[in-house]
């Protein structure tokens, strides 16, 4: 590190590398920010558009002449193609669900992520594809005696150029002014007679164009791969949250900050580059909770997102719960090994979903990163086994403690925010945990994970482990339910329904929410620990974004406003995944389509819809 | 006996001097109205009294104790309850559950994880609901109540904190004339029975002159008159800025 600081030329090159990286990041982030600002949809599929931009540019450049015109024309054509795809997605899907709760919109966009993944796999294959280098910019320029790629130097200027064009668009054109007005108050814009539908469509296409452009520009720098979508979306969330949602200059500043931190981090702290980025974000948010240039979101008047505005009924019915558990226990003697494996997984995921539901339903705090606590529990147990050969009982005790402790730490930051900001911050923290599990190879085994995490002798048999999982998950779920009906649950709901009233009544809302966050984390950790012993191994994928989304999916499938929702959601989810994976190679595509159809058909979740049906009959 | 003392309160929002050098006091058992045209600084005053806003200068004393820097929840625990201009209740709960939750907060039982909340303080909640005339609707979810009824639920929630001072920001806004009179008559009766001090803002002069013991008049952040309803009604300055100019108030 000292040698590095003593060499200012190298530092400058590193800075330029950072700036070049910032350009693509800014393009994608500004697209997400613009879309969010107007439509209030957090578009998970934005990373998929970025990936499509890269793949389409790769294919276009293969067929176009290797001239500067061919190259830049190909890049632009790819971006336009992605804009067209975005247009179709908006017209066919999003336009129908603008009035649905925002988490369902999120879920629908995640359905798009799954669909695009399988389509990209079918069209471009699983191999990483490195595109041609830009004609005329193949070499390096010398800066202060250090070589620097000419293409990267062009990228350094593309970011500010696009920023300038966007500012011009938003300040000097009627359309841009309308977009800014809609970002501030879309009901007002509607009241003034602006055709909102086309404004939204246009904004979505513009945002998709920027994502596609960001992806296409990366083709000469890094190989296009099927992992680009979720990798970039995490970074883009960070940029958007650090910069302030809806602020384009904020996104630019944040992209610079993040990219430069990344570039220097690689040289100074190569082991923790990923964690470093998220630490920067945490620091910014402590001082500026709404990002560098952001402001608190204006409340929406047309409240489509009255998630869980209804009560939960009169009682938690523990007797009924115990009866269900007893009935499930009988299955241990009826089911075969395969059935018991699947049932065990359902139980564990039901607890995982119920823990998320606890903070999301009564607490009103949606998490995009709940897998962090699942993973912390799993790793907590696995590492005890690996380094101290700890018995299973100890591992299962450590799992909720480790996850609960980190829930206290992360929760302190997250609870300061609310709504989408909170959710995005939880995702960022999950990425920190993921990156540590992934990068700290000496301890965690990195990508290879921790193997040999088997249950104690007495729980080795499938039946025994199933019964253990049933006892622990069943008791935990009943406990979570009881807490919702206890004074604590009422205080939590009070804070969700009206924070103003809760505070004015003497409820320490921040404390209540922090405790709820930690409880949810601890139970997710227990689920993770149980999962580790069930599968005998732990991998970083346990903490991946898709696992966090699995949890969201289970809760939302079941219906966030019902208490049985998470359990039903988990059963449906595991069943669906098992069936689809066995039936077809394209299970992601099918799962994605099913999610999209479910959101379109049951915007209240399945248990919620059933409840409503019963209520209508009664 | 003075329970609330406000001394030289100041608040600016950028270039707007919302509250300037406002001083007044409220005694136990007294109904004090804070009136003034829109934008006079009434709600800003309120928000400084219950800790939602921090004054730029001046002091708020409750029972002689300085409330500077205290968050709303701490001020609520000292015994200052408030109702909001836009009614704030917990809409996913029933009427009774709303009051029960407020009672749980007062009895410091929030961090209790295993008892069923609906079994606690049921009688006390029902007594409060009887006081505000909502006992018939105790089982109904708040999400389906009429606006006037919500106002009464909010009053019951506020009273559940056993306050000694009640701050009511436009308690009758949006209500029909008859409901207004009923609600204020109810409030006046509860105040006498319990010996509370009440500070309320109001646009309806009939309500003000019918129920207030004293009236404070704010205009552009400044307190321009204070006294009995009769003396304020006859005050020349008040007539000029407010009453006599023929201005129409909703």
């Amino acid at each position: 590190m000292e040698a590095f600081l003593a060499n200012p030329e190298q530092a400058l090159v590193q800075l330029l590398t950072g700036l070049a990286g910032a350009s693509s990041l800014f393009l994608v982030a500004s697209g997400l920010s613009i879309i969010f600002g107007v439509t209030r949809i957090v578009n998970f599929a934005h990373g998929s558009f970025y990936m499509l931009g890269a793949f389409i540019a790769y294919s276009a450049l293969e067929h176009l002449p290797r001239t500067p015109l061919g190259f830049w024309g190909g890049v632009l054509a790819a971006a336009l193609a992605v804009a067209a795809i975005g247009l179709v997605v908006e017209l066919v899907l999003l336009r129908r669900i603008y009035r649905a709760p925002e988490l369902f919109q999120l879920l629908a966009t995640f359905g798009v992520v799954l669909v695009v993944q399988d389509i990209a796999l079918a069209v471009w294959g699983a191999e990483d594809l490195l595109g041609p280098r830009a004609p005329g910019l193949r070499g390096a320029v010398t800066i202060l005696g250090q070589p620097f790629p000419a293409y990267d130097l062009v990228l350094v200027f593309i970011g500010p150029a696009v920023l300038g064009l966007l500012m011009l668009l938003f300040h000097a054109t009627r359309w841009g002014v309308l977009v800014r007005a809609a970002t501030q108050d879309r009901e007002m814009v509607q009241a003034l007679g602006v055709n909102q539908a086309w404004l939204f469509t246009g904004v979505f296409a513009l945002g998709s164009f920027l994502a596609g452009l960001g992806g296409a520009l990366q083709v000469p720098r890094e190989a296009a791969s099927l992992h680009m979508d979720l990798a970039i979306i995490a970074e883009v969330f960070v940029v958007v949250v650090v910069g302030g949602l809806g602020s384009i200059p904020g996104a630019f500043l944040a992209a610079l900050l993040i990219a430069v931190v990344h570039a220097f981090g690689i040289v100074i702290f190569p082991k923790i580059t990923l964690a470093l980025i998220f630490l920067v974000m945490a620091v910014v948010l402590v001082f500026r909770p709404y990002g560098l240039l952001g402001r608190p979101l204006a409340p929406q008047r047309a409240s489509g997102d009255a998630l869980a505005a209804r009560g939960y009924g009169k009682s938690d019915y523990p007797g009924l719960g115990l009866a269900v558990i007893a009935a499930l226990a009988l299955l241990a003697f009826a089911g075969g090994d395969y059935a018991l494996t699947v049932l065990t997984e359902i139980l564990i995921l039901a607890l995982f979903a119920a823990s998320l539901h606890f903070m999301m339903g009564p607490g009103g705090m949606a998490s995009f990163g709940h897998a962090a606590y699942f993973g912390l529990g799993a790793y907590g147990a696995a590492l005890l086994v690996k380094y101290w050969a700890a018995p299973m009982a100890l591992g299962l005790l450590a799992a909720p403690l480790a996850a609960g402790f980190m829930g206290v730490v992360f929760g302190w930051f997250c609870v300061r925010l609310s709504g989408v900001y909170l959710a995005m911050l939880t995702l960022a923290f999950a990425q920190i945990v993921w990156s540590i599990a992934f990068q700290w190879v000496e301890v965690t085994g990195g990508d290879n994970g921790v193997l040999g995490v088997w249950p104690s002798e007495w729980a080795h048999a499938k039946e025994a482990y199933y019964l253990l999982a049933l006892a622990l998950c069943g008791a935990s779920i009943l406990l979570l339910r009881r807490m919702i009906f206890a004074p604590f649950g009422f205080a939590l709901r009070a804070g969700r329904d009206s924070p103003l009233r809760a505070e004015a009544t003497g409820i320490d809302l921040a404390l209540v929410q922090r405790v709820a966050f930690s409880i949810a984390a601890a139970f997710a950790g227990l689920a993770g620990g149980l999962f580790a012993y069930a599968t005998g191994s732990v991998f970083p994928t346990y903490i991946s974004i898709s696992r966090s989304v699995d949890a969201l999916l289970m809760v939302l499938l079941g219906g966030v406003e019902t208490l049985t929702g998470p359990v039903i959601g988990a059963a449906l989810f595991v069943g669906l995944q098992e069936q689809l994976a066995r039936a077809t190679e394209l299970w992601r595509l099918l799962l994605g389509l099913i999610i999209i159809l479910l959101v379109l058909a049951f915007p209240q979740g399945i248990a919620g819809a059933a409840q409503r049906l019963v209520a209508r009959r009664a | 006996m003075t329970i609330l003392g406000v001394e030289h309160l100041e608040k600016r929002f950028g270039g707007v001097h919302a509250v300037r050098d406002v001083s007044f006091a409220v005694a136990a058992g007294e109904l004090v109205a804070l009136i003034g045209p829109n934008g006079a600084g009434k709600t800003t005053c309120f928000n400084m009294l219950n800790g939602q806003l921090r004054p730029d200068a001046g002091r708020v004393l409750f029972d002689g104790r300085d409330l500077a820097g205290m968050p709303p929840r701490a001020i609520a625990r000292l015994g200052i309850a408030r109702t909001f201009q836009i009614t704030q209740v917990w809409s996913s709960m029933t009427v009774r559950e709303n009051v029960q939750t407020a009672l749980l907060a007062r009895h410091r039982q929030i961090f209790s994880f295993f008892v069923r909340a609906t079994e606690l303080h049921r009688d006390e909640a029902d007594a409060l609901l009887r006081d505000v005339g909502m006992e018939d609707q105790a089982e109904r979810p708040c999400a389906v109540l009429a606006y006037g009824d919500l106002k009464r639920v909010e009053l019951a929630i506020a009273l559940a904190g056993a306050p000694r001072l009640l701050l009511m920001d436009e308690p009758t806004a949006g209500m029909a004339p008859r409901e207004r009179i009923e609600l204020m008559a109810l409030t006046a009766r509860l105040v006498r029975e319990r010996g509370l001090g009440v500070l309320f803002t109001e646009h309806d002069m009939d309500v003000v002159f019918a129920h207030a013991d004293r009236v404070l008049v704010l205009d552009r952040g400044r307190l321009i008159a204070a006294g009995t309803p009769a003396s304020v009604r006859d005050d020349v300055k008040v007539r000029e800025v407010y009453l006599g100019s023929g201005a129409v108030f909703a």
Side-chain angles (χ1 to χ4, degrees), chain A residues 39-88:
Chain A
T39 64
R40 290 290 164 92
I41 287 183
V42 179
N43 181 22
F44 249 113
H46 209 66
S48 307
F49 293 156
Y50 168 79
M51 178 174 79
L52 282 176
F55 274 128
I56 294 174
Y58 174 86
S59 294
L61 294 180
E62 285 220 304
H63 295 97
L64 287 167
R66 299 275 161 105
T67 59
L69 186 69
F71 177 82
W72 295 106
V75 165
L76 204 63
L80 285 171
V82 174
I85 294 169
L87 195 84
V88 172

Coordinates of all heavy atoms in Angstrom, one line a residue, chain A residues 39-88:
Chain A
T39 N -42.5 5.8 -12.1 CA -43.5 4.7 -12.0 C -43.5 4.2 -10.6 O -44.4 3.4 -10.2 CB -43.2 3.5 -12.9 OG1 -41.9 3.0 -12.5 CG2 -43.1 4.0 -14.4
R40 N -42.5 4.5 -9.7 CA -42.4 4.0 -8.4 C -42.2 2.4 -8.4 O -42.6 1.8 -7.5 CB -43.6 4.4 -7.5 CG -43.6 5.8 -7.2 CD -42.5 6.2 -6.2 NE -42.3 7.6 -6.2 CZ -42.8 8.4 -5.3 NH1 -43.7 7.9 -4.4 NH2 -42.6 9.7 -5.3
I41 N -41.7 1.9 -9.5 CA -41.5 0.5 -9.5 C -40.0 0.3 -9.4 O -39.2 0.9 -10.1 CB -42.0 -0.1 -10.9 CG1 -43.5 -0.2 -10.8 CG2 -41.4 -1.5 -11.1 CD1 -44.1 -0.8 -12.0
V42 N -39.6 -0.6 -8.5 CA -38.2 -1.0 -8.4 C -38.0 -2.1 -9.4 O -38.5 -3.2 -9.2 CB -37.8 -1.5 -7.0 CG1 -36.4 -1.9 -6.9 CG2 -38.1 -0.4 -6.0
N43 N -37.3 -1.8 -10.5 CA -37.3 -2.8 -11.6 C -36.1 -3.7 -11.4 O -35.0 -3.4 -11.8 CB -37.2 -2.0 -12.9 CG -37.2 -2.9 -14.1 OD1 -37.6 -4.0 -14.0 ND2 -36.7 -2.4 -15.2
F44 N -36.4 -4.9 -10.9 CA -35.4 -5.9 -10.7 C -34.8 -6.3 -12.1 O -33.7 -6.7 -12.3 CB -35.9 -7.2 -10.0 CG -35.3 -7.4 -8.7 CD1 -36.1 -7.2 -7.6 CD2 -34.0 -7.7 -8.5 CE1 -35.6 -7.4 -6.3 CE2 -33.5 -7.9 -7.2 CZ -34.3 -7.7 -6.1
A45 N -35.7 -6.2 -13.1 CA -35.3 -6.7 -14.5 C -34.3 -5.7 -15.1 O -33.9 -6.0 -16.2 CB -36.6 -6.9 -15.3
H46 N -34.0 -4.6 -14.4 CA -33.1 -3.7 -15.0 C -31.8 -4.3 -15.3 O -31.1 -4.0 -16.3 CB -33.0 -2.5 -14.1 CG -32.7 -1.2 -14.8 ND1 -33.6 -0.6 -15.7 CD2 -31.6 -0.4 -14.9 CE1 -33.0 0.5 -16.2 NE2 -31.8 0.6 -15.7
G47 N -31.3 -5.2 -14.4 CA -30.1 -5.9 -14.6 C -30.2 -6.8 -15.8 O -29.2 -7.0 -16.6
S48 N -31.3 -7.4 -16.0 CA -31.5 -8.2 -17.2 C -31.4 -7.4 -18.5 O -30.9 -7.9 -19.5 CB -32.9 -8.9 -17.1 OG -33.0 -9.6 -15.9
F49 N -31.9 -6.2 -18.5 CA -31.8 -5.4 -19.7 C -30.4 -5.0 -20.0 O -29.9 -5.0 -21.1 CB -32.6 -4.0 -19.5 CG -34.1 -4.3 -19.4 CD1 -34.9 -3.3 -18.8 CD2 -34.7 -5.4 -20.0 CE1 -36.3 -3.5 -18.7 CE2 -36.1 -5.6 -19.9 CZ -36.9 -4.7 -19.3
Y50 N -29.6 -4.8 -18.9 CA -28.2 -4.6 -19.0 C -27.5 -5.8 -19.7 O -26.8 -5.7 -20.6 CB -27.6 -4.3 -17.6 CG -26.1 -4.3 -17.5 CD1 -25.4 -3.2 -17.9 CD2 -25.5 -5.4 -16.9 CE1 -24.0 -3.2 -17.7 CE2 -24.1 -5.4 -16.8 CZ -23.4 -4.3 -17.1 OH -22.0 -4.3 -17.0
M51 N -27.9 -7.0 -19.2 CA -27.3 -8.2 -19.7 C -27.7 -8.4 -21.2 O -26.9 -8.7 -22.0 CB -27.8 -9.4 -18.9 CG -27.3 -10.7 -19.4 SD -27.8 -12.1 -18.2 CE -29.5 -12.3 -18.7
L52 N -29.0 -8.1 -21.5 CA -29.4 -8.3 -22.9 C -28.7 -7.3 -23.8 O -28.3 -7.6 -24.9 CB -30.9 -8.0 -22.9 CG -31.8 -9.1 -22.5 CD1 -33.3 -8.7 -22.5 CD2 -31.6 -10.4 -23.4
G53 N -28.4 -6.1 -23.2 CA -27.7 -5.1 -24.0 C -26.3 -5.7 -24.4 O -25.9 -5.6 -25.6
A54 N -25.6 -6.3 -23.5 CA -24.3 -6.9 -23.7 C -24.4 -8.0 -24.8 O -23.7 -8.1 -25.7 CB -23.7 -7.4 -22.4
F55 N -25.4 -8.9 -24.6 CA -25.5 -10.1 -25.5 C -25.9 -9.6 -26.9 O -25.3 -10.1 -27.9 CB -26.6 -11.1 -24.9 CG -26.0 -12.0 -23.9 CD1 -26.6 -12.2 -22.7 CD2 -24.9 -12.8 -24.2 CE1 -26.1 -13.1 -21.8 CE2 -24.4 -13.7 -23.3 CZ -25.0 -13.9 -22.1
I56 N -26.9 -8.7 -27.0 CA -27.3 -8.3 -28.3 C -26.2 -7.5 -29.0 O -25.9 -7.8 -30.2 CB -28.6 -7.4 -28.2 CG1 -29.7 -8.3 -27.6 CG2 -28.9 -6.8 -29.5 CD1 -31.0 -7.5 -27.4
A57 N -25.4 -6.7 -28.2 CA -24.3 -6.0 -28.8 C -23.3 -7.0 -29.3 O -22.7 -6.9 -30.4 CB -23.7 -5.1 -27.8
Y58 N -23.0 -8.1 -28.6 CA -22.1 -9.1 -29.0 C -22.5 -9.7 -30.3 O -21.7 -9.8 -31.3 CB -22.0 -10.2 -27.9 CG -21.1 -11.4 -28.3 CD1 -19.8 -11.3 -28.1 CD2 -21.7 -12.5 -28.9 CE1 -19.0 -12.4 -28.5 CE2 -20.9 -13.5 -29.4 CZ -19.6 -13.5 -29.1 OH -18.8 -14.5 -29.5
S59 N -23.8 -10.1 -30.4 CA -24.2 -10.7 -31.7 C -24.2 -9.7 -32.8 O -23.8 -10.0 -33.9 CB -25.7 -11.2 -31.5 OG -25.7 -12.2 -30.6
A60 N -24.6 -8.4 -32.6 CA -24.6 -7.4 -33.6 C -23.2 -7.2 -34.1 O -23.0 -7.1 -35.3 CB -25.2 -6.1 -33.1
L61 N -22.3 -7.1 -33.2 CA -20.9 -6.8 -33.6 C -20.3 -7.9 -34.4 O -19.4 -7.7 -35.2 CB -20.0 -6.4 -32.4 CG -20.5 -5.2 -31.7 CD1 -19.6 -4.9 -30.5 CD2 -20.4 -4.0 -32.6
E62 N -20.7 -9.1 -34.2 CA -20.2 -10.2 -35.0 C -20.6 -10.1 -36.5 O -19.9 -10.5 -37.3 CB -20.8 -11.5 -34.5 CG -20.2 -12.0 -33.2 CD -20.1 -13.5 -33.2 OE1 -21.1 -14.2 -33.4 OE2 -18.9 -13.9 -33.0
H63 N -21.8 -9.5 -36.7 CA -22.2 -9.4 -38.1 C -21.9 -8.1 -38.7 O -22.0 -8.0 -40.0 CB -23.7 -9.6 -38.1 CG -24.1 -11.0 -37.7 ND1 -24.5 -11.3 -36.4 CD2 -24.1 -12.2 -38.4 CE1 -24.8 -12.6 -36.4 NE2 -24.5 -13.2 -37.5
L64 N -21.6 -7.1 -38.0 CA -21.3 -5.8 -38.5 C -19.9 -5.6 -38.9 O -19.0 -6.3 -38.4 CB -21.7 -4.7 -37.5 CG -23.2 -4.5 -37.3 CD1 -23.5 -3.7 -36.1 CD2 -23.8 -3.9 -38.6
P65 N -19.6 -4.8 -39.9 CA -18.2 -4.6 -40.3 C -17.3 -4.0 -39.1 O -17.9 -3.3 -38.3 CB -18.3 -3.5 -41.4 CG -19.6 -2.9 -41.3 CD -20.5 -3.9 -40.7
R66 N -16.1 -4.4 -39.1 CA -15.2 -4.0 -38.0 C -14.7 -2.6 -38.2 O -13.5 -2.4 -38.4 CB -14.0 -5.0 -37.9 CG -14.4 -6.4 -37.6 CD -14.6 -6.5 -36.0 NE -15.4 -7.7 -35.7 CZ -14.9 -8.8 -35.2 NH1 -13.7 -8.9 -35.0 NH2 -15.7 -9.8 -34.9
T67 N -15.6 -1.7 -38.3 CA -15.1 -0.3 -38.5 C -15.7 0.5 -37.3 O -16.6 0.0 -36.6 CB -15.7 0.3 -39.8 OG1 -17.2 0.2 -39.7 CG2 -15.3 -0.5 -41.0
P68 N -15.2 1.7 -37.1 CA -15.7 2.5 -36.0 C -17.2 2.7 -36.2 O -18.0 2.6 -35.2 CB -15.0 3.8 -36.1 CG -13.7 3.5 -36.7 CD -14.0 2.3 -37.6
L69 N -17.7 2.9 -37.4 CA -19.1 3.1 -37.6 C -19.9 1.9 -37.3 O -20.9 1.9 -36.6 CB -19.4 3.5 -39.1 CG -20.8 3.9 -39.4 CD1 -21.2 5.2 -38.7 CD2 -21.1 4.0 -40.9
G70 N -19.3 0.7 -37.7 CA -20.0 -0.6 -37.4 C -20.1 -0.8 -35.9 O -21.1 -1.2 -35.4
F71 N -19.0 -0.5 -35.2 CA -19.0 -0.7 -33.8 C -20.0 0.2 -33.0 O -20.9 -0.3 -32.3 CB -17.6 -0.4 -33.2 CG -17.5 -0.6 -31.7 CD1 -17.3 -1.8 -31.1 CD2 -17.6 0.5 -30.9 CE1 -17.3 -2.0 -29.8 CE2 -17.6 0.4 -29.5 CZ -17.4 -0.9 -29.0
W72 N -19.9 1.5 -33.3 CA -20.8 2.4 -32.5 C -22.2 2.2 -33.0 O -23.1 2.3 -32.1 CB -20.3 3.8 -32.6 CG -19.0 4.0 -32.0 CD1 -17.8 4.2 -32.6 CD2 -18.7 4.0 -30.6 NE1 -16.7 4.3 -31.7 CE2 -17.3 4.2 -30.4 CE3 -19.4 3.8 -29.4 CZ2 -16.6 4.2 -29.2 CZ3 -18.8 3.9 -28.2 CH2 -17.4 4.0 -28.1
G73 N -22.4 1.9 -34.3 CA -23.7 1.6 -34.7 C -24.3 0.4 -34.1 O -25.5 0.4 -33.7
G74 N -23.5 -0.6 -33.9 CA -23.9 -1.8 -33.3 C -24.3 -1.6 -31.8 O -25.3 -2.1 -31.3
V75 N -23.5 -0.8 -31.1 CA -23.7 -0.5 -29.7 C -25.1 0.2 -29.6 O -25.9 -0.2 -28.7 CB -22.6 0.3 -29.1 CG1 -23.0 0.9 -27.8 CG2 -21.3 -0.5 -28.9
L76 N -25.3 1.2 -30.5 CA -26.5 1.9 -30.4 C -27.7 1.1 -30.8 O -28.8 1.2 -30.1 CB -26.4 3.1 -31.4 CG -27.3 4.3 -31.1 CD1 -26.9 4.9 -29.7 CD2 -27.2 5.4 -32.2
A77 N -27.5 0.2 -31.8 CA -28.6 -0.7 -32.2 C -29.0 -1.6 -31.0 O -30.2 -1.9 -30.8 CB -28.2 -1.5 -33.4
A78 N -28.0 -2.1 -30.3 CA -28.3 -3.0 -29.2 C -29.1 -2.3 -28.1 O -30.1 -2.8 -27.6 CB -27.0 -3.5 -28.6
A79 N -28.7 -1.0 -27.8 CA -29.4 -0.2 -26.8 C -30.8 0.0 -27.3 O -31.8 -0.1 -26.5 CB -28.7 1.1 -26.6
L80 N -31.0 0.3 -28.6 CA -32.4 0.5 -29.1 C -33.2 -0.7 -29.0 O -34.4 -0.7 -28.7 CB -32.3 1.1 -30.5 CG -31.9 2.5 -30.6 CD1 -31.6 2.9 -32.1 CD2 -32.9 3.5 -30.0
A81 N -32.6 -1.9 -29.3 CA -33.3 -3.1 -29.2 C -33.8 -3.4 -27.8 O -34.9 -3.8 -27.5 CB -32.4 -4.3 -29.7
V82 N -32.9 -3.1 -26.8 CA -33.3 -3.3 -25.4 C -34.4 -2.3 -25.1 O -35.4 -2.7 -24.3 CB -32.1 -3.1 -24.5 CG1 -32.5 -3.1 -23.0 CG2 -31.0 -4.1 -24.7
A83 N -34.3 -1.1 -25.6 CA -35.4 -0.1 -25.3 C -36.8 -0.7 -25.8 O -37.8 -0.6 -25.2 CB -35.1 1.2 -26.0
A84 N -36.7 -1.4 -27.0 CA -37.9 -1.9 -27.6 C -38.4 -3.1 -26.7 O -39.6 -3.2 -26.5 CB -37.6 -2.5 -29.0
I85 N -37.5 -3.9 -26.2 CA -37.9 -5.0 -25.2 C -38.5 -4.4 -24.0 O -39.6 -4.8 -23.5 CB -36.7 -5.8 -24.9 CG1 -36.2 -6.6 -26.1 CG2 -37.0 -6.8 -23.8 CD1 -34.8 -7.2 -25.9
G86 N -37.9 -3.3 -23.5 CA -38.5 -2.6 -22.3 C -39.9 -2.1 -22.6 O -40.8 -2.3 -21.8
L87 N -40.1 -1.6 -23.8 CA -41.4 -1.1 -24.2 C -42.4 -2.2 -24.2 O -43.5 -2.0 -23.7 CB -41.2 -0.5 -25.6 CG -42.4 0.4 -26.2 CD1 -42.1 1.8 -25.7 CD2 -42.4 0.3 -27.7
V88 N -42.0 -3.3 -24.7 CA -43.0 -4.5 -24.7 C -43.3 -4.9 -23.3 O -44.5 -5.1 -23.0 CB -42.4 -5.6 -25.5 CG1 -43.3 -6.9 -25.4 CG2 -42.3 -5.2 -27.0

